[in-house]
Amino acid sequence: QSALTQPASVSGSPGQSITISCIGTSSDVGGYNYVSWYQHHPGKAPKLMIYEVINRPSGVSNRFSGSKSGNTASLTISGLQAEDEADYYCSSYTSSSTWVFGGGTRLTVL
Amino acid sequence: EVQLVESGGGLVQPGGSLRLSCAASGFTLSSYDMHWVRQGIGKGLEWVSAIGLAGDTYYPGSVKGRFTISREDAKNSLYLQMNSLRVGDTAVYYCARLGGGAAPGNAFDVWGQGTMVTVSS
């Protein structure tokens, strides 16, 4: 199972919006609504930001939103804040009853 | 408070074995699918194994036949037995809960802080 494809890095200024893509196949992202997104600060535990493509866990800012079209899922962060600077990973369930992560995207807030 | 705490990491030689533990508190571990995820140095997250409610287990090809996931309900704990370790297995290993029921579903909603495994001669 190959890793999902994410851009290595994205950047934006405070207040702007950015979108991170996550490209899979019909055997994972395209085949199931079990796409999730995680924020990871180095040295800390990853934090769930979006689950089942579009849903936000309690306590996660509504500046974070998720979507999916075909085999590509996306995470959008609006009103960028300095605290959003982190690594972001997508994940999906697969047709092999396994799970797969994306390669990760480093978000820099300029 | 819902919490996962890993232990058992350390330095091991190539070909050696190590057993990781993950103690759960604030919830009943056997009521959820549980997973191990790792992050190599300078690398991304990689899914390592899962155990379902019925004790069914799943692995990616990179660790299948070498790693074994298990749980002990009486101790509310999860384990990862790692054999035939390779330099490429060097990573921080996290245990994670797959949410369900009242918790966010089909996503890793609770994570431990991780335990470091270094495979080196």
Side-chain angles (χ1 to χ4, degrees):
Chain A
Q1 181 68 47
S2 299
L4 306 175
T5 300
Q6 297 181 231
S9 63
V10 298
S11 62
S13 299
Q16 289 186 331
S17 295
I18 62 95
T19 296
I20 300 172
S21 60
C22 171
I23 304 172
T25 69
S26 59
S27 296
D28 38 63
V29 173
Y32 304 91
N33 286 327
Y34 295 161
V35 176
S36 49
W37 289 90
Y38 303 86
Q39 179 188 67
H40 192 200
H41 289 104
K44 300 185 70 176
K47 177 185 178 183
L48 176 64
M49 305 303 285
I50 296 289
Y51 67 100
E52 293 176 341
V53 180
I54 60 171
N55 298 304
R56 272 188 315 276
S58 174
V60 171
S61 171
N62 59 10
R63 297 185 298 105
F64 291 82
S65 61
S67 63
K68 189 182 85 167
S69 177
N71 297 335
T72 300
S74 298
L75 173 71
T76 297
I77 308 173
S78 59
L80 269 179
Q81 299 179 0
E83 67 205 49
D84 299 332
E85 188 162 290
D87 296 324
Y88 290 85
Y89 294 89
C90 61
S91 178
S92 175
Y93 182 69
T94 83
S95 60
S96 302
S97 300
T98 61
W99 294 79
V100 63
F101 283 90
T105 298
R106 173 68 55 89
L107 169 61
T108 301
V109 180
L110 302 171
Chain B
E1 180 190 5
V2 172
Q3 194 173 8
L4 294 168
V5 178
E6 302 94 337
S7 60
L11 174 65
V12 61
Q13 291 188 337
S17 298
L18 208 58
R19 189 196 195 206
L20 305 183
S21 299
C22 172
S25 58
F27 72 99
T28 301
L29 188 142
S30 61
S31 296
Y32 294 85
D33 290 358
M34 295 298 298
H35 296 245
W36 288 94
V37 176
R38 69 185 180 185
Q39 183 178 34
I41 306 302
K43 299 184 178 180
L45 298 176
E46 180 187 11
W47 176 77
V48 171
S49 62
I51 185 165
L53 300 182
D56 43 317
T57 59
Y58 304 89
Y59 308 91
S62 57
V63 308
K64 199 168 189 177
R66 300 189 299 122
F67 289 12
T68 302
I69 187 173
S70 63
R71 66 174 187 245
E72 187 171 356
D73 295 347
K75 292 189 175 182
N76 213 29
S77 292
L78 180 74
Y79 304 101
L80 185 67
Q81 177 67 43
M82 303 185 294
N83 299 330
S84 303
L85 281 162
R86 306 166 180 168
V87 171
D89 295 319
T90 295
V92 175
Y93 284 73
Y94 298 96
C95 60
R97 185 181 84 171
L98 191 75
N106 301 297
F108 305 112
D109 68 329
V110 180
W111 295 70
Q113 288 293 323
T115 186
M116 182 71 203
V117 172
T118 303
V119 184
S120 175
S121 54

